[in-house]
């Protein structure tokens, strides 16, 4: 090597050494910053997931955590310093994706991250379909009905009428497997939203406020023992997505029917605000007839009375539910809600009556007109505290709920004679009825859940439910001679009714291989207390109403209510369930108040203060099997009920009046079977059908007469959903209830057919739909009654004619609702086993 080359090399080495020394003397250079980016998508629907959470944790210092959420296109981007990180991508009800110990020394693009739905619980089997989704659990079936087109623009009652095992009759009464002794809960609790037991209130709540309906035919010990048929638990929509989102719904229909509803939600990492607010205006014509033919042994002056009844209803309702959930820390939260429901209704009932005698035929025609104006205001205030001690299900919850309801009715009754060929001396008496009803209810509840290992769980709790209602009833009647009105002190009364229930429960659940079980015991004390303030003595009341009446009663009932629920997993898509429970049916206030209704001269309903609670023991055996495109659910059940309630009709001695009164009969045995099929043969066609057959046997005597009866009946439901060209969905719902025989007569079968069409618009941000309810105008009750003194044919239709509704829902900052398997269930579910 030449000297010049050696000299040059030495200079180069010296320069490098000096540069290195200078760098070392100045210390390490600041760490560079890079971006981590990606896009989060639903792996099934292939749509972006907005507000998915991306958490960035430093692998060397786990206390250093940063994060972000995805935008409307599912995209995210975050800047971090050079280093090693664990990246977690999460979205509610989806499986998380974790990228462990990723070295970030340049911009990192994670690409498209596909998230799938979370895995199922040990006690849960999921059946998926567009019109119905069923989650089968140890003690219940959960139906998600959000995509049922025929409920668009409808009410909660319309939605319930599409749930398998459930029927809503012509009067709005709700039955489960043909048994009307069913308990209605809202979000797992009794609520003013359900009208203090008056299920007609559900006709005023919008169907799109429902997230799902839980059909609980074998309730566990956690639930109130009320309702011999079981429990319907209505879960209302509550968004949990981060940010501000919601939906607006508007509908218009005929007969005159208009409404608007808003669901809004704003959630941050610290709190969640939510509200559901709606208004509704509805005109609903209804009516029917009563054709009563009296036998010679009756004490009436007439051989036949034909009453034609027309009802025009006008309902104006407003309801709002506002709440806030505040996250105290990562384990606990406090939720407060306020619910208000206001109603301003007017019902006009016209009864045209024709009176006949066997000698002269038609002898008298009258018109009785009742105008009832009702103003109703309900408030509910609730606080809920939940503490999750860990992420394994160890929880403590506490609830307080206070409800008040004020209802004022002003009724004006007039009666006219428009034809009197028999010159009948018929007294025309006008009536003014003022009724004020105030109700209060307090609920105190606490539940504690303790997991014992991976497959077992202990639970205990307390519930106190305290209800009071005061009905102040004033009857003013018109003086026949002067035409002026005077207070009828005989029928004017005040009825103060209290129902207090205190309950303690405990239950234990576990899993051994393929077998899961839940055993529970509930202790309940029920106090039923009533006081009637009236000018009449007990003896005079008995003489006036035909039944012995205690005007000041205080009854206590203490009972044990065991529950057993088993589920055996035959295979991954096949299981068998077995349930047993003991239940109680407490009489409601309107079943006890002995003062009769006044809307009809000839047909009245009268309560019975002598009613005692009814008790039942029920067994349920179920089977589920799922294939690729077909799902089968089935069960057989048996129920034995003692002191069951039955409505008995009789002819009040010496009058034309036919009275309906509830009484305790000896026993009622009900045996039945139900079958459900979900079939999805193609993406454009979905079929859903169910069939329920039951047999009941009633044994009992009242007033010396036997009311033994034995009969079979059934009901079936079918739904099909077809996707037409241009992505128009067409759904058809059909329902038929078979004829059946009761303790005093028969009732004909009832057919109902609904159609609906819907189309997504504005890039699926909105949906417009058209539905027609009762297309054939056939949803009416035709019945025949036979007693010792008369026979009667009658027909009644709650809503006459077809109901056509056009509705539109607009969603912002959220995608069209998908059928998730677990979304939002955690707040109201049993512990998981």
């Amino acid at each position: 090597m030449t000297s010049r080359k050696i000299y040059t090399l030495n200079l180069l080495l010296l320069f490098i050494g000096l540069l290195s020394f200078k760098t070392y003397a100045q210390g390490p250079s600041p760490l560079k910053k890079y971006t981590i980016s990606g896009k989060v998508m639903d792996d099934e629907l292939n749509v972006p997931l907005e507000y998915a959470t991306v958490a960035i944790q430093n692998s060397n210092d786990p206390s250093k955590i940063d994060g972000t959420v995805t935008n409307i296109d599912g995209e995210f981007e975050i800047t971090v310093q050079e280093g090693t990180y664990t990246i977690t991508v999460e979205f509610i009800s989806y499986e998380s994706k974790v990228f462990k110990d990723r070295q970030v020394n340049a911009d990192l693009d994670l690409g498209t991250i596909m998230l799938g739905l979370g895995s199922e619980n040990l006690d849960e089997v999921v059946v998926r379909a567009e019109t119905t989704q069923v989650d089968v659990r140890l003690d219940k079936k959960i139906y998600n009905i959000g995509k049922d087109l025929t409920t668009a623009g409808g009410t909660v009652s319309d939605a319930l009428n599409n749930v398998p095992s459930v029927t809503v009759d012509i009067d709005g009464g709700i039955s489960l497997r043909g048994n009307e002794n069913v308990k209605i809960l809202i979000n797992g609790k009794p609520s003013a939203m359900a009208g203090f037991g008056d299920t007609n209130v559900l006709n005023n709540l919008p169907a799109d406020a429902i997230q799902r309906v839980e059909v609980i035919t074998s309730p566990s010990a956690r639930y109130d023992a009320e309702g011999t048929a079981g429990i319907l638990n209505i879960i209302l929509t509550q968004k949990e997505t981060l940010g501000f989102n919601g939906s607006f719904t508007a509908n218009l229909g005929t007969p005159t029917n208009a409404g608007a509803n808003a669901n809004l939600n704003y959630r941050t990492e610290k709190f969640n605000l939510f509200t559901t607010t709606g208004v509704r205006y509805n005109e609903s014509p209804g009516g029917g007839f009563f054709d009563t033919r009296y036998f010679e042994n009756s004490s009436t002056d007439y051989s036949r009375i034909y009453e034609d009844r027309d009802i025009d209803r006008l309902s104006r309702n407003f309801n709002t539910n506002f709440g806030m959930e505040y996250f105290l820390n990562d384990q606990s939260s406090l939720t407060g809600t306020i619910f208000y429901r206001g109603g301003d209704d007017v019902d006009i009932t016209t009864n045209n009556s024709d009176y006949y005698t066997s000698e002269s035929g038609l002898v008298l025609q009258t018109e009785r007109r009742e105008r009832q104006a009702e103003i109703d205001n309900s408030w509910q205030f609730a606080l809920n505290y939940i503490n999750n001690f860990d992420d394994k299900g160890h929880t403590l919850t506490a609830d307080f709920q206070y409800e008040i309801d004020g209802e004022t009715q002003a009724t004006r009754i007039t009666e006219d004679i428009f034809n009197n060929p028999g010159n009948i001396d018929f007294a025309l008496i006008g009536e003014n009825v003022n009724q004020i009803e105030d109700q209060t209810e307090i609920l105190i509840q606490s539940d504690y859940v303790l997991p014992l290992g991976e497959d077992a769980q202990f639970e205990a709790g307390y519930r106190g439910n305290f209800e009071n209602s005061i009905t102040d009833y004033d009857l003013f009647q018109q003086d026949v001679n002067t035409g002026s009105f005077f207070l009828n002190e005989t029928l004017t009364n005040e009825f103060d009714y209290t129902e207090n229930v205190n309950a303690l429960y405990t239950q234990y659940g576990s899993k051994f291989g393929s077998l899961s079980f839940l055993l529970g015991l509930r202790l309940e004390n029920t106090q039923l207390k009533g006081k009637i303030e009236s000018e009449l003595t007990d003896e005079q009341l008995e003489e006036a109403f035909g039944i012995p009446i205690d005007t000041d009663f205080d009854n206590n009932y203490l009972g044990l209510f065991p529950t057993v629920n088993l589920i055996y997993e035959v295979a991954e898509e096949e299981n068998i369930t077995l349930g047993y429970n003991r239940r109680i049916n407490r009489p409601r206030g309107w079943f006890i108040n002995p003062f009769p209704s006044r809307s009809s001269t000839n047909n009245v309903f009268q309560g019975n203060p002598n009613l005692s609670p009814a008790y039942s023991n029920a067994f349920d055996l179920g089977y589920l099997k799922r294939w690729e495109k077909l799902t089968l659910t089935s069960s057989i059940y048996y129920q034995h009920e003692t002191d069951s309630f039955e409505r008995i009709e009789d002819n009040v001695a010496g009058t034309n009046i036919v009275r309906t009164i509830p009484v305790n009969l000896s026993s009622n045995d009900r045996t039945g079977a139900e079958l459900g099929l979900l079939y999805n043969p193609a993406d454009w066609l979905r079929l859903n059908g169910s069939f329920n057959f039951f047999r009941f046997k009633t044994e009992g005597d009242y007033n010396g007469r036997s009311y033994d009866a034995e009969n079979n009946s059934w009901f079936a439901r079918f739904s099909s959903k077809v996707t037409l060209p241009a992505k128009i969905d067409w759904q058809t719902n059909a329902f038929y209830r078979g004829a059946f025989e009761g303790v005093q007569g028969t009732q004909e079968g009832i057919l109902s057919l609904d159609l609906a069409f819907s189309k997504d618009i504005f890039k699926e941000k909105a949906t417009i739909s058209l539905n027609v309810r009762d297309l054939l105008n056939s949803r009416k009750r035709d019945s025949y009654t036979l007693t010792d003194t008369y026979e009667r044919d009658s027909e009644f239709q709650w809503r006459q004619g077809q109901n056509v509704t056009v509705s539109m829902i607009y969603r912002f900052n959220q995608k069209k609702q998908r059928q998730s398997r677990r979304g939002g269930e955690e707040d109201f579910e049993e512990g998981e086993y």
Side-chain angles (χ1 to χ4, degrees):
M1 183 180 292
T2 64
S3 59
R4 182 179 293 275
K5 291 181 178 179
I6 294 174
Y7 177 77
T8 303
L9 180 60
N10 287 336
L11 287 177
L12 180 60
L13 292 174
L14 177 62
F15 176 78
I16 293 174
L18 290 173
L19 182 62
S20 299
F21 176 80
K22 182 179 180 180
T23 303
Y24 176 79
Q26 291 178 345
S29 61
L31 296 177
K32 295 183 179 180
K33 292 186 176 183
Y34 302 101
T35 61
I36 301 175
S37 60
K39 185 173 184 177
V40 183
M41 301 279 289
D42 181 297
D43 68 350
E44 182 179 344
L45 300 180
N46 198 34
V47 296
L49 294 178
E50 185 184 4
Y51 294 115
T53 303
V54 183
I56 312 293
Q57 185 177 40
N58 193 305
S59 297
N60 298 320
D61 185 0
S63 64
K64 295 182 178 179
I65 302 176
D66 199 357
T68 185
V69 295
T70 57
N71 61 19
I72 193 171
D73 297 317
E75 299 171 345
F76 68 91
E77 183 177 296
I78 186 171
T79 301
V80 298
Q81 291 183 334
E82 180 180 358
T84 303
Y85 297 91
T86 294
I87 306 165
T88 304
V89 182
E90 297 178 307
F91 193 69
I92 295 173
S93 301
Y94 286 73
E95 291 279 9
S96 302
K97 282 288 181 71
V98 180
F99 303 87
K100 286 191 173 183
D101 300 329
R102 287 297 182 98
Q103 183 68 36
V104 180
N105 51 20
D107 289 342
L108 175 62
D109 184 1
L110 296 175
T112 300
I113 303 167
M114 308 298 290
L115 297 186
L117 287 173
S119 59
E120 288 72 34
N121 300 319
L122 292 173
D123 65 339
E124 173 182 30
V125 175
V126 179
V127 181
R128 302 188 61 201
E130 287 292 312
T131 55
T132 303
Q133 176 186 328
V134 185
D135 295 354
V136 179
R137 295 177 178 265
L138 273 167
D139 59 347
K140 71 188 74 173
K141 293 184 179 71
I142 303 172
Y143 294 93
N144 290 301
I145 57 178
K147 285 193 174 184
D148 196 321
L149 304 183
T150 58
T151 66
T155 67
V156 170
S157 290
D158 295 323
L160 290 178
N161 207 37
N162 289 340
V163 174
S165 304
V166 179
T167 56
V168 181
D169 67 20
I170 303 302
D171 302 305
I174 298 170
S175 298
L176 181 58
R177 290 173 168 173
N179 189 341
E180 63 183 15
N181 298 325
V182 57
K183 180 73 171 179
I184 306 295
L185 301 178
I186 304 290
N187 291 346
K189 306 176 186 69
S191 173
M193 300 184 199
F196 294 92
D198 179 8
T199 56
N200 286 331
V201 173
L202 301 178
N203 285 317
N204 299 322
L205 294 177
D208 54 14
I210 300 178
Q211 178 175 319
R212 65 184 186 275
V213 176
E214 298 178 349
V215 178
I216 309 173
T217 53
S218 184
S220 70
R222 167 184 276 202
Y223 293 102
D224 185 358
E226 170 78 22
T228 55
I231 294 173
L232 287 180
N233 187 20
I234 302 170
I235 304 300
L236 302 182
T237 302
Q238 179 178 329
K239 304 295 182 183
E240 296 189 359
T241 307
L242 287 171
F244 181 57
N245 58 85
S247 63
F248 295 98
T249 303
N251 60 78
L252 183 66
T254 181
T256 306
N257 174 23
N261 192 71
N263 289 293
L264 303 176
N265 184 86
Y266 178 69
R267 177 165 178 166
T268 69
E269 297 293 342
K270 199 61 181 175
F271 63 86
N272 185 39
L273 295 172
F274 52 90
T275 181
T276 299
T277 301
V279 294
R280 185 176 180 85
Y281 179 95
N282 184 51
E283 295 180 6
S284 181
F289 68 84
F290 301 88
D291 186 1
T292 307
R293 298 170 302 276
Y294 297 91
F295 302 144
E296 291 183 358
N297 62 340
S298 68
S299 57
T300 181
D301 296 327
Y302 306 100
S303 61
R304 178 187 178 193
I305 299 177
Y306 183 91
E307 180 179 319
D308 185 74
R309 180 178 299 181
D310 290 318
I311 306 174
D312 291 314
R313 302 183 188 87
L314 170 62
S315 299
R316 291 163 289 200
N317 303 101
F318 171 80
N319 64 84
T320 183
N321 183 38
F322 177 80
M324 175 179 176
E325 181 178 11
Y326 182 75
F327 305 102
L328 302 173
N329 49 50
D330 291 341
Q331 289 78 37
S332 61
S333 67
L334 183 67
T335 302
T337 59
I338 299 175
F339 170 78
Y340 169 75
R341 173 173 52 83
D344 185 359
D345 304 335
V346 177
D347 292 351
I348 298 177
T349 303
T350 304
N351 286 308
N352 290 302
S353 300
D354 298 339
Y355 297 81
Y356 297 84
T357 64
S358 56
E359 298 83 9
S360 304
L362 179 64
V363 294
L364 178 68
Q365 290 181 301
T366 65
E367 180 181 86
R368 185 178 177 90
R369 184 178 176 88
E370 174 190 319
R371 184 186 188 276
Q372 182 181 88
E374 178 180 316
I375 297 177
D376 189 6
N377 292 282
S378 296
W379 290 89
Q380 175 181 292
F381 307 91
L383 283 175
N384 168 263
Y385 170 77
I386 181 170
N387 184 31
N388 297 300
F389 296 99
D390 53 35
D391 59 357
K392 298 179 181 180
H394 186 194
T395 62
L396 172 67
T397 62
D399 295 276
F400 173 79
Q401 194 167 280
Y402 176 69
E403 305 175 9
I404 54 176
D405 179 84
E407 181 179 295
T408 301
Q409 290 182 355
T411 305
R412 304 293 177 259
I413 300 175
T414 60
E415 192 160 18
D416 296 305
I417 296 176
F418 61 87
N419 188 23
N420 192 2
N423 295 316
I424 301 299
D425 184 14
F426 191 88
L428 299 175
I429 301 177
E431 295 181 355
N432 292 336
V433 180
N434 297 328
Q435 178 173 302
I436 299 175
E437 185 172 7
D438 294 315
Q439 302 179 80
T440 60
E441 182 172 354
I442 296 175
L443 172 72
I444 302 173
Q445 179 176 335
S446 182
D447 300 288
Y448 177 71
V449 180
L450 176 65
L452 302 173
E454 294 185 359
D455 297 328
Q457 182 168 288
F458 168 80
E459 185 174 350
Y462 162 80
R463 173 183 282 189
N465 209 71
F466 313 98
E467 301 179 49
N468 175 258
S469 64
I470 299 176
T471 304
D472 192 350
Y473 181 90
D474 294 326
L475 173 62
F476 296 86
Q477 288 186 313
Q478 191 174 26
D479 187 285
V480 178
N481 299 316
T482 66
S484 60
F485 285 84
F486 66 94
L487 180 66
N488 184 327
E489 296 182 354
T490 301
L491 294 179
T492 293
N493 68 92
E494 181 178 282
F495 183 46
D496 188 334
Y497 181 65
T498 298
E499 178 182 300
N500 296 326
V501 181
N502 287 278
L504 294 170
Y505 81 92
T506 183
Q507 59 185 15
Y508 174 77
S510 187
K511 181 177 182 180
F512 296 98
S514 299
L515 177 66
S516 299
F517 68 85
L518 180 61
L519 308 178
L521 184 64
R522 188 178 185 91
L523 173 67
E524 282 196 355
N525 175 258
T526 299
Q527 180 189 37
L528 302 179
K529 184 170 61 174
K531 186 174 184 179
I532 301 173
E533 296 286 350
S534 171
E535 293 294 324
L536 300 180
T537 65
D538 290 5
E539 292 76 15
Q540 290 172 325
L541 284 170
E542 179 177 353
E543 182 179 352
F545 299 140
I547 56 174
I549 293 177
D550 185 355
T551 57
D552 191 356
F553 60 89
D554 188 349
N555 301 319
N556 278 269
Y557 307 90
L558 183 67
L560 282 173
F561 301 91
T563 61
V564 178
N565 288 289
L566 309 173
I567 183 169
Y568 180 74
E569 300 289 342
V570 180
E572 183 178 354
E573 306 291 352
E574 184 179 12
N575 70 62
I576 298 172
T577 59
L578 176 65
Y580 161 77
N581 64 88
R582 184 172 187 256
R583 309 287 295 165
I584 184 174
N585 185 26
R586 308 180 187 97
R588 306 302 298 179
W590 69 284
F591 253 41
I592 290 181
N593 192 337
F595 289 86
S597 60
R598 308 292 298 174
S599 59
S600 170
T601 302
N602 305 309
N603 297 280
V604 300
F605 177 87
Q606 176 186 337
N608 182 2
N610 303 309
L611 283 180
S612 300
Y615 295 89
S616 73
N617 290 275
F619 299 85
D620 188 291
L621 177 65
Y623 173 74
L624 179 143
K625 172 68 175 177
R626 183 171 65 179
W627 294 270
E628 181 179 358
K629 297 182 178 181
L630 176 67
T631 298
L632 179 148
T633 59
S634 62
S635 65
I636 57 176
Y637 53 89
Y638 169 76
Q639 179 189 78
H640 176 71
E641 184 176 359
T642 58
D643 290 330
S644 61
F645 303 159
E646 293 288 345
R647 292 182 177 91
I648 301 298
E649 292 187 7
D650 62 4
N651 180 209
V652 179
T655 72
N656 307 321
I657 299 174
V658 173
R659 175 185 63 176
T660 301
I661 184 171
V663 300
N664 290 111
L665 284 184
S666 177
S667 67
N668 189 325
D669 290 287
R670 185 179 297 264
T671 306
E674 59 183 350
L675 175 70
L677 292 173
L678 301 173
Y679 182 47
N680 298 339
D683 291 340
W684 55 270
L685 177 62
R686 300 158 192 90
L687 305 175
N688 180 5
S690 63
F691 177 82
N692 194 308
F693 173 86
F694 54 91
R695 178 181 181 84
F696 59 87
K697 180 180 179 180
T698 301
E699 294 181 346
D701 298 303
Y702 179 68
N703 283 346
R705 179 183 175 182
S706 173
Y707 287 91
D708 294 354
E710 191 170 353
N711 189 41
N712 302 326
S713 189
W714 60 277
F715 61 87
R717 182 178 281 108
F718 173 78
S719 175
S720 68
K721 187 175 181 182
V722 180
T723 301
L724 302 173
K727 294 184 177 180
I728 296 174
D729 287 331
W730 167 25
Q731 184 174 325
T732 302
N733 282 8
F735 171 81
Y736 183 80
R737 173 165 182 160
F740 69 91
E741 182 177 348
V743 295
Q744 286 185 291
T746 60
Q747 183 171 309
E748 298 298 321
I750 298 176
L751 171 67
S752 180
L753 182 65
D754 302 334
L755 295 180
F757 300 87
S758 79
K759 166 70 177 172
D760 292 334
I761 56 178
F762 304 145
K763 298 181 179 180
E764 292 195 352
K765 290 184 178 180
T767 302
I768 186 169
S769 62
L770 167 70
N771 65 65
V772 183
R773 299 186 187 93
D774 197 11
L775 179 68
L776 304 178
N777 191 27
S778 56
R779 195 161 184 254
K780 58 185 68 175
R781 181 183 62 223
D782 292 301
S783 57
Y784 171 77
T785 303
L786 177 64
T787 73
D788 291 336
T789 57
Y790 68 90
E791 63 176 350
R792 182 171 71 183
D793 291 301
S794 64
E795 179 181 284
F796 184 74
Q797 191 171 15
W798 178 262
R799 185 171 53 195
Q800 293 177 336
Q802 297 84 2
N803 186 279
V804 182
T805 304
V806 177
S807 64
M808 178 176 177
I809 179 171
Y810 178 80
R811 299 169 287 272
F812 64 93
N813 290 345
Q814 59 174 280
K815 292 293 180 182
K816 186 179 179 183
Q817 289 283 338
R818 65 172 292 154
Q819 296 282 0
S820 65
R821 301 186 187 189
R822 296 181 56 194
E825 294 177 7
E826 290 81 357
D827 290 343
F828 311 107
E829 289 305 318
E830 301 282 340
E832 312 216 343
Y833 311 105

